[in-house]
Each structure stands twice: as structure tokens, then as C-alpha cells.
Amino acid sequence: MIDSHSFAAALAPWFVRDASDRPWRHTRDPYRVWLSEVMLQQTQSATVVPYYEKFAAAYPTVHALAAAPLDQVLKLWEGLGYYSRARNMHRAAQIVAAGGGQFPQTAALLQNLPGVGRYTAAAVASIVFGERVAVLDGNVIRVLARLYDLPADVTMSATQRHLWALAEGLIAEAERPGDHNQAMMELGSRICTPRSPDCPNCPVQTFCRAHANNTQGERPVKARKAKTPHRDVASGVIYDAAGRFLIAQRPLKGLLGGLWEFPAAFREGDESLGETLARALSEQCGIQVEIGDVLATVKHAFSHFRITLHAHRCRYLGGEIALTRYIAAAWVTPAEVDHYALARADRRMIEVLLGRSSPKN
């Protein structure tokens, strides 16, 4: 095993000297650290910075976030992806605010908040409250897999448990647990990268078994991913006589919950895209339209599948809006749509409508 005291002593000075300057590292306010950690879930820190700064300015306290309308929160989150994080964050803020604004001070208690798992809880508890609990994210997994030259598949449950134990072992004698956890994550993102790790500049190279065995390129071991499924989606940009178009709000739970979109549906079986759209608009919105040409085609990847969104120009013919799948609908002008939170693919449709983007994407 690696001596935790020696390891921490080698890692800490590197982090103090070379840590990236991030706005959330200038505070120990539990609200702001929690805010940053929620945003950093599955998202690179450089992408998070402008979103963190916008949220911190719009909602400087947990009470401000709790009082904000969910639609407003989702709009500010627009483009960051994984929207369940925003919905959970809003609910968690309301829970904390209702309890007087005091965040739980241990990782175990923090995990009772919506959207806070073991990793996020440990990050907040160690950084803000100094609790000696380790984190394990993709970067730390890669560091540990190389430090210990692990031949096991890191996606397996048994290996995950082993990795948590290794992480806990290394933090055991760290003087500043929060800095240690941030250093481990930064080591993985900047030095121990997936390809071509910068071993000569690694502060803990002497502890690394993969470096000694020249197996860095083989670690971590992961099972080969299955081919990502693809589906076609038919979407309707439906105009009325006043030149407005129809958007609809998705249910709060599930994929892209609470976001607005052009009414759409997955193509089923051997349907044509036009048949798919006519079925969807009749079943989901209760309206009839004249389906025109394809206005734009947008490709988009989610975490577990990909879509090609085919947006058709449609003319509204009639029918009272009667929603089944959606929870709200609105007729809006292109200028008004900026007030609504849309998923990335539909936002790109707006860019096409306004002439700011190519219809093929």
C-alpha cells in the first residue's frame, strides 16, 4: 500500500503552487461550494465558470435560489445540460432555506438533499467543514487506477468499492482534506489525463505503479461501450395566422424535465416523419396542422442515445390545444422565446429561425 502521509506531503505543495484559479475556490460558503459541485457533476470546470458566476450573481444566497421560480432557474441553466441537476438543486435549496438556511455539516447528512450523492456530499463536507472523507469521480478513478496499476474493470461494483477504499486510505493523513480532494481531482484533469499523461510533471510519480510498469496507457480498464442507439425525432415549428409559433413544456420529471420545446415525438416503426408529426400533434396537443417542408435538421447526443431532430414548418389549421404529454403550451414570437428555457437542440432551431445558423447541423 502507498504510505498516506508521504503521498499527502507530496501532493499538497503541488496543489498550493499550481492549482487552477476557480471562483469557487475563493470561498468556504457552503452554499457557493455546493452550487459549484452540483454544476461540476459530469461537466468540465472551464464550462462551469460562467454558469457559476451567473447563478452566484442572480441568487447570492440559498434563500434567493429557493424563492426563484423553477422556470427562471432552468432558463439560467440553459445550455449546461443534465437538467435534473437544476431541478434537484432548486428543491434542495428550498429544503435548506426552510430549515433556516443552514447546510448539513457532514457528508452523511448532506446526502439527504436531492441530487447530492456520495461524491458531491464528500466534496462539500471536506472543503467547507474539513471532514476527512474522500471523493471519487472520473478523474480520481483514473489517478487511483494508475497509482495502484489496477487490472480490474473500474465500472464494476466490486472495483468501485475498492476504489472508494483506496481513496479513503490516501486521505487518512491529509492535513487539509478539502484541498487533498481538490488536488486529486485536479491531478486527474491536468496531469493524469486519459491520453498522454504528463508523467514527468506529476508530483506523485514516485508512488505510481503504472508508471513503474509502463502501463499508464492501459489504465483504467473499462469494458467496451455498446454502440450508442440513434433515433429520429419529428418536430413541428407551427405558425398561426399572427406569425407566432407554438412551444410546449415537458413534464418536470424525466429527460429535459421542465424545458420548453417545439412539439415533437420519436418516429415509431416504419412511419414517415410526416406521419410521426401528425400523430404526435393530434395525440399530444389536440391540434391539426398542414405539414410543410423540413426547416432544419439538428443532430444531438444525450448520455445514452443520439437523435436527429427533423423540424418541419407547419401551418396551424385548427383544434383547441388539449395537452396530454406536455404540461403547458404557449404561442410566442421569435423575440419572446428568449424568455423560455429550451433544450440545446431546440435552441439551435431558434437560431435557424432567426437566420443566425445553418439549417443543416
PDB file of all heavy atoms in Angstrom, residues 232-270:
ATOM      1  N   ASP A 232     -34.726   8.929 -34.680  1.00  0.00           N
ATOM      2  CA  ASP A 232     -35.173  10.124 -35.393  1.00  0.00           C
ATOM      3  C   ASP A 232     -36.347  10.744 -34.650  1.00  0.00           C
ATOM      4  O   ASP A 232     -37.229  10.029 -34.141  1.00  0.00           O
ATOM      5  CB  ASP A 232     -35.600   9.769 -36.819  1.00  0.00           C
ATOM      6  CG  ASP A 232     -34.412   9.491 -37.714  1.00  0.00           C
ATOM      7  OD1 ASP A 232     -33.567  10.399 -37.857  1.00  0.00           O
ATOM      8  OD2 ASP A 232     -34.326   8.373 -38.254  1.00  0.00           O
ATOM      9  N   VAL A 233     -36.360  12.058 -34.602  1.00  0.00           N
ATOM     10  CA  VAL A 233     -37.424  12.800 -33.937  1.00  0.00           C
ATOM     11  C   VAL A 233     -38.030  13.775 -34.942  1.00  0.00           C
ATOM     12  O   VAL A 233     -37.302  14.518 -35.615  1.00  0.00           O
ATOM     13  CB  VAL A 233     -36.886  13.577 -32.718  1.00  0.00           C
ATOM     14  CG1 VAL A 233     -37.995  14.403 -32.076  1.00  0.00           C
ATOM     15  CG2 VAL A 233     -36.276  12.630 -31.698  1.00  0.00           C
ATOM     16  N   ALA A 234     -39.359  13.768 -35.025  1.00  0.00           N
ATOM     17  CA  ALA A 234     -40.065  14.735 -35.876  1.00  0.00           C
ATOM     18  C   ALA A 234     -40.570  15.863 -34.990  1.00  0.00           C
ATOM     19  O   ALA A 234     -41.202  15.634 -33.960  1.00  0.00           O
ATOM     20  CB  ALA A 234     -41.225  14.063 -36.591  1.00  0.00           C
ATOM     21  N   SER A 235     -40.280  17.085 -35.385  1.00  0.00           N
ATOM     22  CA  SER A 235     -40.636  18.260 -34.590  1.00  0.00           C
ATOM     23  C   SER A 235     -41.385  19.243 -35.472  1.00  0.00           C
ATOM     24  O   SER A 235     -41.107  19.350 -36.676  1.00  0.00           O
ATOM     25  CB  SER A 235     -39.354  18.902 -34.049  1.00  0.00           C
ATOM     26  OG  SER A 235     -39.621  20.101 -33.377  1.00  0.00           O
ATOM     27  N   GLY A 236     -42.347  19.963 -34.874  1.00  0.00           N
ATOM     28  CA  GLY A 236     -43.151  20.899 -35.643  1.00  0.00           C
ATOM     29  C   GLY A 236     -42.960  22.338 -35.215  1.00  0.00           C
ATOM     30  O   GLY A 236     -43.190  22.675 -34.052  1.00  0.00           O
ATOM     31  N   VAL A 237     -42.518  23.185 -36.138  1.00  0.00           N
ATOM     32  CA  VAL A 237     -42.477  24.626 -35.915  1.00  0.00           C
ATOM     33  C   VAL A 237     -43.792  25.161 -36.481  1.00  0.00           C
ATOM     34  O   VAL A 237     -43.928  25.394 -37.677  1.00  0.00           O
ATOM     35  CB  VAL A 237     -41.260  25.267 -36.602  1.00  0.00           C
ATOM     36  CG1 VAL A 237     -41.222  26.765 -36.334  1.00  0.00           C
ATOM     37  CG2 VAL A 237     -39.971  24.603 -36.126  1.00  0.00           C
ATOM     38  N   ILE A 238     -44.773  25.324 -35.600  1.00  0.00           N
ATOM     39  CA  ILE A 238     -46.157  25.546 -36.002  1.00  0.00           C
ATOM     40  C   ILE A 238     -46.501  27.032 -35.909  1.00  0.00           C
ATOM     41  O   ILE A 238     -46.487  27.606 -34.809  1.00  0.00           O
ATOM     42  CB  ILE A 238     -47.107  24.731 -35.096  1.00  0.00           C
ATOM     43  CG1 ILE A 238     -46.691  23.250 -35.105  1.00  0.00           C
ATOM     44  CG2 ILE A 238     -48.553  24.902 -35.537  1.00  0.00           C
ATOM     45  CD1 ILE A 238     -47.232  22.481 -33.920  1.00  0.00           C
ATOM     46  N   TYR A 239     -46.823  27.625 -37.030  1.00  0.00           N
ATOM     47  CA  TYR A 239     -47.162  29.050 -37.083  1.00  0.00           C
ATOM     48  C   TYR A 239     -48.671  29.238 -37.078  1.00  0.00           C
ATOM     49  O   TYR A 239     -49.411  28.468 -37.688  1.00  0.00           O
ATOM     50  CB  TYR A 239     -46.601  29.688 -38.349  1.00  0.00           C
ATOM     51  CG  TYR A 239     -45.103  29.826 -38.363  1.00  0.00           C
ATOM     52  CD1 TYR A 239     -44.298  28.808 -38.862  1.00  0.00           C
ATOM     53  CD2 TYR A 239     -44.488  30.970 -37.874  1.00  0.00           C
ATOM     54  CE1 TYR A 239     -42.913  28.930 -38.876  1.00  0.00           C
ATOM     55  CE2 TYR A 239     -43.109  31.111 -37.884  1.00  0.00           C
ATOM     56  CZ  TYR A 239     -42.334  30.080 -38.385  1.00  0.00           C
ATOM     57  OH  TYR A 239     -40.964  30.203 -38.395  1.00  0.00           O
ATOM     58  N   ASP A 240     -49.117  30.300 -36.408  1.00  0.00           N
ATOM     59  CA  ASP A 240     -50.521  30.673 -36.510  1.00  0.00           C
ATOM     60  C   ASP A 240     -50.655  31.887 -37.425  1.00  0.00           C
ATOM     61  O   ASP A 240     -49.667  32.376 -37.988  1.00  0.00           O
ATOM     62  CB  ASP A 240     -51.128  30.925 -35.124  1.00  0.00           C
ATOM     63  CG  ASP A 240     -50.581  32.174 -34.431  1.00  0.00           C
ATOM     64  OD1 ASP A 240     -49.744  32.886 -35.034  1.00  0.00           O
ATOM     65  OD2 ASP A 240     -50.986  32.436 -33.288  1.00  0.00           O
ATOM     66  N   ALA A 241     -51.894  32.394 -37.578  1.00  0.00           N
ATOM     67  CA  ALA A 241     -52.143  33.499 -38.513  1.00  0.00           C
ATOM     68  C   ALA A 241     -51.432  34.778 -38.100  1.00  0.00           C
ATOM     69  O   ALA A 241     -51.154  35.647 -38.935  1.00  0.00           O
ATOM     70  CB  ALA A 241     -53.648  33.747 -38.610  1.00  0.00           C
ATOM     71  N   ALA A 242     -51.090  34.899 -36.808  1.00  0.00           N
ATOM     72  CA  ALA A 242     -50.415  36.107 -36.323  1.00  0.00           C
ATOM     73  C   ALA A 242     -48.901  36.012 -36.428  1.00  0.00           C
ATOM     74  O   ALA A 242     -48.189  36.928 -36.014  1.00  0.00           O
ATOM     75  CB  ALA A 242     -50.822  36.371 -34.862  1.00  0.00           C
ATOM     76  N   GLY A 243     -48.382  34.894 -36.959  1.00  0.00           N
ATOM     77  CA  GLY A 243     -46.943  34.745 -37.107  1.00  0.00           C
ATOM     78  C   GLY A 243     -46.243  34.242 -35.863  1.00  0.00           C
ATOM     79  O   GLY A 243     -45.014  34.207 -35.805  1.00  0.00           O
ATOM     80  N   ARG A 244     -47.021  33.844 -34.873  1.00  0.00           N
ATOM     81  CA  ARG A 244     -46.424  33.261 -33.671  1.00  0.00           C
ATOM     82  C   ARG A 244     -46.233  31.760 -33.892  1.00  0.00           C
ATOM     83  O   ARG A 244     -46.860  31.168 -34.787  1.00  0.00           O
ATOM     84  CB  ARG A 244     -47.322  33.485 -32.451  1.00  0.00           C
ATOM     85  CG  ARG A 244     -47.635  34.949 -32.157  1.00  0.00           C
ATOM     86  CD  ARG A 244     -48.689  35.061 -31.072  1.00  0.00           C
ATOM     87  NE  ARG A 244     -49.914  34.360 -31.449  1.00  0.00           N
ATOM     88  CZ  ARG A 244     -50.948  34.165 -30.637  1.00  0.00           C
ATOM     89  NH1 ARG A 244     -50.894  34.609 -29.375  1.00  0.00           N
ATOM     90  NH2 ARG A 244     -52.025  33.524 -31.059  1.00  0.00           N
ATOM     91  N   PHE A 245     -45.380  31.130 -33.076  1.00  0.00           N
ATOM     92  CA  PHE A 245     -45.259  29.684 -33.162  1.00  0.00           C
ATOM     93  C   PHE A 245     -45.468  29.062 -31.792  1.00  0.00           C
ATOM     94  O   PHE A 245     -45.347  29.708 -30.752  1.00  0.00           O
ATOM     95  CB  PHE A 245     -43.929  29.246 -33.789  1.00  0.00           C
ATOM     96  CG  PHE A 245     -42.701  29.800 -33.141  1.00  0.00           C
ATOM     97  CD1 PHE A 245     -42.162  29.205 -31.999  1.00  0.00           C
ATOM     98  CD2 PHE A 245     -42.045  30.897 -33.678  1.00  0.00           C
ATOM     99  CE1 PHE A 245     -41.024  29.698 -31.410  1.00  0.00           C
ATOM    100  CE2 PHE A 245     -40.900  31.408 -33.084  1.00  0.00           C
ATOM    101  CZ  PHE A 245     -40.383  30.798 -31.952  1.00  0.00           C
ATOM    102  N   LEU A 246     -45.796  27.777 -31.828  1.00  0.00           N
ATOM    103  CA  LEU A 246     -46.209  27.063 -30.623  1.00  0.00           C
ATOM    104  C   LEU A 246     -45.019  26.354 -29.984  1.00  0.00           C
ATOM    105  O   LEU A 246     -44.279  25.636 -30.654  1.00  0.00           O
ATOM    106  CB  LEU A 246     -47.287  26.034 -30.970  1.00  0.00           C
ATOM    107  CG  LEU A 246     -47.864  25.232 -29.801  1.00  0.00           C
ATOM    108  CD1 LEU A 246     -48.693  26.128 -28.886  1.00  0.00           C
ATOM    109  CD2 LEU A 246     -48.719  24.068 -30.340  1.00  0.00           C
ATOM    110  N   ILE A 247     -44.843  26.562 -28.677  1.00  0.00           N
ATOM    111  CA  ILE A 247     -43.892  25.775 -27.905  1.00  0.00           C
ATOM    112  C   ILE A 247     -44.637  25.135 -26.745  1.00  0.00           C
ATOM    113  O   ILE A 247     -45.685  25.617 -26.317  1.00  0.00           O
ATOM    114  CB  ILE A 247     -42.707  26.617 -27.382  1.00  0.00           C
ATOM    115  CG1 ILE A 247     -43.190  27.785 -26.509  1.00  0.00           C
ATOM    116  CG2 ILE A 247     -41.832  27.106 -28.532  1.00  0.00           C
ATOM    117  CD1 ILE A 247     -42.053  28.560 -25.847  1.00  0.00           C
ATOM    118  N   ALA A 248     -44.105  24.016 -26.240  1.00  0.00           N
ATOM    119  CA  ALA A 248     -44.762  23.274 -25.172  1.00  0.00           C
ATOM    120  C   ALA A 248     -43.742  22.885 -24.118  1.00  0.00           C
ATOM    121  O   ALA A 248     -42.560  22.677 -24.416  1.00  0.00           O
ATOM    122  CB  ALA A 248     -45.444  22.030 -25.737  1.00  0.00           C
ATOM    123  N   GLN A 249     -44.207  22.783 -22.872  1.00  0.00           N
ATOM    124  CA  GLN A 249     -43.325  22.482 -21.743  1.00  0.00           C
ATOM    125  C   GLN A 249     -43.397  21.002 -21.383  1.00  0.00           C
ATOM    126  O   GLN A 249     -44.480  20.450 -21.174  1.00  0.00           O
ATOM    127  CB  GLN A 249     -43.693  23.332 -20.530  1.00  0.00           C
ATOM    128  CG  GLN A 249     -42.693  23.218 -19.385  1.00  0.00           C
ATOM    129  CD  GLN A 249     -43.055  24.107 -18.206  1.00  0.00           C
ATOM    130  OE1 GLN A 249     -44.219  24.437 -18.006  1.00  0.00           O
ATOM    131  NE2 GLN A 249     -42.061  24.498 -17.426  1.00  0.00           N
ATOM    132  N   ARG A 250     -42.214  20.389 -21.260  1.00  0.00           N
ATOM    133  CA  ARG A 250     -42.136  18.979 -20.906  1.00  0.00           C
ATOM    134  C   ARG A 250     -42.490  18.781 -19.429  1.00  0.00           C
ATOM    135  O   ARG A 250     -42.348  19.711 -18.624  1.00  0.00           O
ATOM    136  CB  ARG A 250     -40.723  18.455 -21.163  1.00  0.00           C
ATOM    137  CG  ARG A 250     -40.288  18.525 -22.619  1.00  0.00           C
ATOM    138  CD  ARG A 250     -38.829  18.154 -22.765  1.00  0.00           C
ATOM    139  NE  ARG A 250     -38.598  16.754 -22.454  1.00  0.00           N
ATOM    140  CZ  ARG A 250     -38.472  15.788 -23.360  1.00  0.00           C
ATOM    141  NH1 ARG A 250     -38.578  16.081 -24.650  1.00  0.00           N
ATOM    142  NH2 ARG A 250     -38.238  14.551 -23.003  1.00  0.00           N
ATOM    143  N   PRO A 251     -42.928  17.569 -19.043  1.00  0.00           N
ATOM    144  CA  PRO A 251     -43.177  17.284 -17.629  1.00  0.00           C
ATOM    145  C   PRO A 251     -41.928  17.545 -16.794  1.00  0.00           C
ATOM    146  O   PRO A 251     -40.794  17.446 -17.291  1.00  0.00           O
ATOM    147  CB  PRO A 251     -43.537  15.799 -17.625  1.00  0.00           C
ATOM    148  CG  PRO A 251     -44.019  15.517 -19.008  1.00  0.00           C
ATOM    149  CD  PRO A 251     -43.220  16.419 -19.914  1.00  0.00           C
ATOM    150  N   LEU A 252     -42.120  17.871 -15.532  1.00  0.00           N
ATOM    151  CA  LEU A 252     -40.993  18.237 -14.670  1.00  0.00           C
ATOM    152  C   LEU A 252     -40.060  17.065 -14.422  1.00  0.00           C
ATOM    153  O   LEU A 252     -38.863  17.259 -14.218  1.00  0.00           O
ATOM    154  CB  LEU A 252     -41.500  18.799 -13.344  1.00  0.00           C
ATOM    155  CG  LEU A 252     -42.273  20.119 -13.436  1.00  0.00           C
ATOM    156  CD1 LEU A 252     -42.704  20.576 -12.052  1.00  0.00           C
ATOM    157  CD2 LEU A 252     -41.439  21.195 -14.116  1.00  0.00           C
ATOM    158  N   LYS A 253     -40.589  15.858 -14.428  1.00  0.00           N
ATOM    159  CA  LYS A 253     -39.745  14.681 -14.219  1.00  0.00           C
ATOM    160  C   LYS A 253     -39.324  14.092 -15.547  1.00  0.00           C
ATOM    161  O   LYS A 253     -40.021  14.215 -16.543  1.00  0.00           O
ATOM    162  CB  LYS A 253     -40.494  13.634 -13.384  1.00  0.00           C
ATOM    163  CG  LYS A 253     -40.757  14.059 -11.944  1.00  0.00           C
ATOM    164  CD  LYS A 253     -41.398  12.928 -11.152  1.00  0.00           C
ATOM    165  CE  LYS A 253     -41.615  13.345  -9.702  1.00  0.00           C
ATOM    166  NZ  LYS A 253     -42.235  12.256  -8.900  1.00  0.00           N
ATOM    167  N   GLY A 254     -38.167  13.425 -15.547  1.00  0.00           N
ATOM    168  CA  GLY A 254     -37.700  12.765 -16.752  1.00  0.00           C
ATOM    169  C   GLY A 254     -36.725  13.615 -17.539  1.00  0.00           C
ATOM    170  O   GLY A 254     -36.300  14.694 -17.125  1.00  0.00           O
ATOM    171  N   LEU A 255     -36.345  13.104 -18.710  1.00  0.00           N
ATOM    172  CA  LEU A 255     -35.354  13.751 -19.568  1.00  0.00           C
ATOM    173  C   LEU A 255     -35.783  15.169 -19.926  1.00  0.00           C
ATOM    174  O   LEU A 255     -36.908  15.388 -20.370  1.00  0.00           O
ATOM    175  CB  LEU A 255     -35.169  12.922 -20.844  1.00  0.00           C
ATOM    176  CG  LEU A 255     -34.119  13.408 -21.834  1.00  0.00           C
ATOM    177  CD1 LEU A 255     -32.724  13.245 -21.245  1.00  0.00           C
ATOM    178  CD2 LEU A 255     -34.224  12.635 -23.145  1.00  0.00           C
ATOM    179  N   LEU A 256     -34.898  16.139 -19.704  1.00  0.00           N
ATOM    180  CA  LEU A 256     -35.148  17.549 -20.032  1.00  0.00           C
ATOM    181  C   LEU A 256     -36.395  18.088 -19.334  1.00  0.00           C
ATOM    182  O   LEU A 256     -37.075  18.978 -19.846  1.00  0.00           O
ATOM    183  CB  LEU A 256     -35.264  17.742 -21.554  1.00  0.00           C
ATOM    184  CG  LEU A 256     -34.092  17.236 -22.402  1.00  0.00           C
ATOM    185  CD1 LEU A 256     -34.375  17.455 -23.875  1.00  0.00           C
ATOM    186  CD2 LEU A 256     -32.787  17.907 -22.006  1.00  0.00           C
ATOM    187  N   GLY A 257     -36.675  17.566 -18.156  1.00  0.00           N
ATOM    188  CA  GLY A 257     -37.879  17.939 -17.428  1.00  0.00           C
ATOM    189  C   GLY A 257     -37.999  19.437 -17.195  1.00  0.00           C
ATOM    190  O   GLY A 257     -37.064  20.090 -16.756  1.00  0.00           O
ATOM    191  N   GLY A 258     -39.169  19.981 -17.510  1.00  0.00           N
ATOM    192  CA  GLY A 258     -39.445  21.394 -17.293  1.00  0.00           C
ATOM    193  C   GLY A 258     -39.030  22.310 -18.425  1.00  0.00           C
ATOM    194  O   GLY A 258     -39.370  23.501 -18.408  1.00  0.00           O
ATOM    195  N   LEU A 259     -38.296  21.794 -19.397  1.00  0.00           N
ATOM    196  CA  LEU A 259     -37.872  22.637 -20.518  1.00  0.00           C
ATOM    197  C   LEU A 259     -38.985  22.746 -21.558  1.00  0.00           C
ATOM    198  O   LEU A 259     -39.890  21.926 -21.637  1.00  0.00           O
ATOM    199  CB  LEU A 259     -36.618  22.059 -21.178  1.00  0.00           C
ATOM    200  CG  LEU A 259     -35.365  21.977 -20.303  1.00  0.00           C
ATOM    201  CD1 LEU A 259     -34.171  21.588 -21.153  1.00  0.00           C
ATOM    202  CD2 LEU A 259     -35.093  23.290 -19.587  1.00  0.00           C
ATOM    203  N   TRP A 260     -38.879  23.795 -22.370  1.00  0.00           N
ATOM    204  CA  TRP A 260     -39.827  24.030 -23.444  1.00  0.00           C
ATOM    205  C   TRP A 260     -39.228  23.544 -24.762  1.00  0.00           C
ATOM    206  O   TRP A 260     -38.005  23.546 -24.938  1.00  0.00           O
ATOM    207  CB  TRP A 260     -40.167  25.510 -23.534  1.00  0.00           C
ATOM    208  CG  TRP A 260     -40.924  26.021 -22.349  1.00  0.00           C
ATOM    209  CD1 TRP A 260     -40.420  26.296 -21.113  1.00  0.00           C
ATOM    210  CD2 TRP A 260     -42.321  26.297 -22.274  1.00  0.00           C
ATOM    211  NE1 TRP A 260     -41.415  26.727 -20.267  1.00  0.00           N
ATOM    212  CE2 TRP A 260     -42.599  26.753 -20.964  1.00  0.00           C
ATOM    213  CE3 TRP A 260     -43.372  26.232 -23.199  1.00  0.00           C
ATOM    214  CZ2 TRP A 260     -43.873  27.117 -20.551  1.00  0.00           C
ATOM    215  CZ3 TRP A 260     -44.643  26.603 -22.792  1.00  0.00           C
ATOM    216  CH2 TRP A 260     -44.890  27.033 -21.486  1.00  0.00           C
ATOM    217  N   GLU A 261     -40.091  23.146 -25.686  1.00  0.00           N
ATOM    218  CA  GLU A 261     -39.619  22.651 -26.979  1.00  0.00           C
ATOM    219  C   GLU A 261     -40.708  22.838 -28.027  1.00  0.00           C
ATOM    220  O   GLU A 261     -41.877  23.099 -27.709  1.00  0.00           O
ATOM    221  CB  GLU A 261     -39.251  21.169 -26.881  1.00  0.00           C
ATOM    222  CG  GLU A 261     -40.430  20.243 -26.626  1.00  0.00           C
ATOM    223  CD  GLU A 261     -40.031  18.782 -26.548  1.00  0.00           C
ATOM    224  OE1 GLU A 261     -38.822  18.498 -26.403  1.00  0.00           O
ATOM    225  OE2 GLU A 261     -40.923  17.924 -26.625  1.00  0.00           O
ATOM    226  N   PHE A 262     -40.317  22.701 -29.278  1.00  0.00           N
ATOM    227  CA  PHE A 262     -41.301  22.573 -30.334  1.00  0.00           C
ATOM    228  C   PHE A 262     -41.936  21.183 -30.178  1.00  0.00           C
ATOM    229  O   PHE A 262     -41.209  20.209 -29.968  1.00  0.00           O
ATOM    230  CB  PHE A 262     -40.647  22.691 -31.710  1.00  0.00           C
ATOM    231  CG  PHE A 262     -40.020  24.031 -31.969  1.00  0.00           C
ATOM    232  CD1 PHE A 262     -38.645  24.175 -32.023  1.00  0.00           C
ATOM    233  CD2 PHE A 262     -40.819  25.145 -32.161  1.00  0.00           C
ATOM    234  CE1 PHE A 262     -38.068  25.406 -32.260  1.00  0.00           C
ATOM    235  CE2 PHE A 262     -40.246  26.391 -32.397  1.00  0.00           C
ATOM    236  CZ  PHE A 262     -38.869  26.519 -32.441  1.00  0.00           C
ATOM    237  N   PRO A 263     -43.255  21.060 -30.249  1.00  0.00           N
ATOM    238  CA  PRO A 263     -43.872  19.741 -30.070  1.00  0.00           C
ATOM    239  C   PRO A 263     -43.215  18.705 -30.974  1.00  0.00           C
ATOM    240  O   PRO A 263     -42.973  18.955 -32.164  1.00  0.00           O
ATOM    241  CB  PRO A 263     -45.331  19.995 -30.462  1.00  0.00           C
ATOM    242  CG  PRO A 263     -45.551  21.433 -30.145  1.00  0.00           C
ATOM    243  CD  PRO A 263     -44.253  22.120 -30.494  1.00  0.00           C
ATOM    244  N   ALA A 264     -42.934  17.533 -30.401  1.00  0.00           N
ATOM    245  CA  ALA A 264     -42.135  16.548 -31.125  1.00  0.00           C
ATOM    246  C   ALA A 264     -42.434  15.144 -30.623  1.00  0.00           C
ATOM    247  O   ALA A 264     -43.035  14.960 -29.562  1.00  0.00           O
ATOM    248  CB  ALA A 264     -40.646  16.851 -30.956  1.00  0.00           C
ATOM    249  N   ALA A 265     -41.989  14.163 -31.397  1.00  0.00           N
ATOM    250  CA  ALA A 265     -42.141  12.768 -30.991  1.00  0.00           C
ATOM    251  C   ALA A 265     -41.099  11.919 -31.707  1.00  0.00           C
ATOM    252  O   ALA A 265     -40.622  12.274 -32.798  1.00  0.00           O
ATOM    253  CB  ALA A 265     -43.545  12.254 -31.308  1.00  0.00           C
ATOM    254  N   PHE A 266     -40.753  10.783 -31.094  1.00  0.00           N
ATOM    255  CA  PHE A 266     -39.873   9.817 -31.727  1.00  0.00           C
ATOM    256  C   PHE A 266     -40.618   9.117 -32.864  1.00  0.00           C
ATOM    257  O   PHE A 266     -41.813   8.798 -32.744  1.00  0.00           O
ATOM    258  CB  PHE A 266     -39.426   8.752 -30.727  1.00  0.00           C
ATOM    259  CG  PHE A 266     -38.440   9.246 -29.701  1.00  0.00           C
ATOM    260  CD1 PHE A 266     -38.782   9.318 -28.370  1.00  0.00           C
ATOM    261  CD2 PHE A 266     -37.163   9.622 -30.085  1.00  0.00           C
ATOM    262  CE1 PHE A 266     -37.880   9.764 -27.418  1.00  0.00           C
ATOM    263  CE2 PHE A 266     -36.241  10.071 -29.146  1.00  0.00           C
ATOM    264  CZ  PHE A 266     -36.601  10.143 -27.812  1.00  0.00           C
ATOM    265  N   ARG A 267     -39.904   8.879 -33.962  1.00  0.00           N
ATOM    266  CA  ARG A 267     -40.504   8.106 -35.048  1.00  0.00           C
ATOM    267  C   ARG A 267     -40.617   6.645 -34.614  1.00  0.00           C
ATOM    268  O   ARG A 267     -39.683   6.078 -34.067  1.00  0.00           O
ATOM    269  CB  ARG A 267     -39.652   8.218 -36.313  1.00  0.00           C
ATOM    270  CG  ARG A 267     -40.221   7.388 -37.460  1.00  0.00           C
ATOM    271  CD  ARG A 267     -39.734   7.831 -38.814  1.00  0.00           C
ATOM    272  NE  ARG A 267     -38.307   7.682 -38.983  1.00  0.00           N
ATOM    273  CZ  ARG A 267     -37.664   7.968 -40.123  1.00  0.00           C
ATOM    274  NH1 ARG A 267     -38.339   8.434 -41.167  1.00  0.00           N
ATOM    275  NH2 ARG A 267     -36.371   7.818 -40.204  1.00  0.00           N
ATOM    276  N   GLU A 268     -41.767   6.046 -34.855  1.00  0.00           N
ATOM    277  CA  GLU A 268     -42.000   4.657 -34.490  1.00  0.00           C
ATOM    278  C   GLU A 268     -42.118   3.792 -35.746  1.00  0.00           C
ATOM    279  O   GLU A 268     -42.772   4.178 -36.723  1.00  0.00           O
ATOM    280  CB  GLU A 268     -43.298   4.524 -33.674  1.00  0.00           C
ATOM    281  CG  GLU A 268     -43.333   5.342 -32.390  1.00  0.00           C
ATOM    282  CD  GLU A 268     -42.360   4.839 -31.337  1.00  0.00           C
ATOM    283  OE1 GLU A 268     -41.794   3.746 -31.531  1.00  0.00           O
ATOM    284  OE2 GLU A 268     -42.158   5.549 -30.335  1.00  0.00           O
ATOM    285  N   GLY A 269     -41.482   2.612 -35.699  1.00  0.00           N
ATOM    286  CA  GLY A 269     -41.598   1.641 -36.790  1.00  0.00           C
ATOM    287  C   GLY A 269     -41.236   2.222 -38.130  1.00  0.00           C
ATOM    288  O   GLY A 269     -40.214   2.895 -38.293  1.00  0.00           O
ATOM    289  N   ASP A 270     -42.122   1.984 -39.131  1.00  0.00           N
ATOM    290  CA  ASP A 270     -41.841   2.454 -40.488  1.00  0.00           C
ATOM    291  C   ASP A 270     -42.605   3.732 -40.827  1.00  0.00           C
ATOM    292  O   ASP A 270     -42.845   4.042 -41.990  1.00  0.00           O
ATOM    293  CB  ASP A 270     -42.163   1.358 -41.510  1.00  0.00           C
ATOM    294  CG  ASP A 270     -43.616   0.891 -41.433  1.00  0.00           C
ATOM    295  OD1 ASP A 270     -44.361   1.400 -40.564  1.00  0.00           O
ATOM    296  OD2 ASP A 270     -44.003   0.019 -42.233  1.00  0.00           O
TER     297      ASP A 270
END
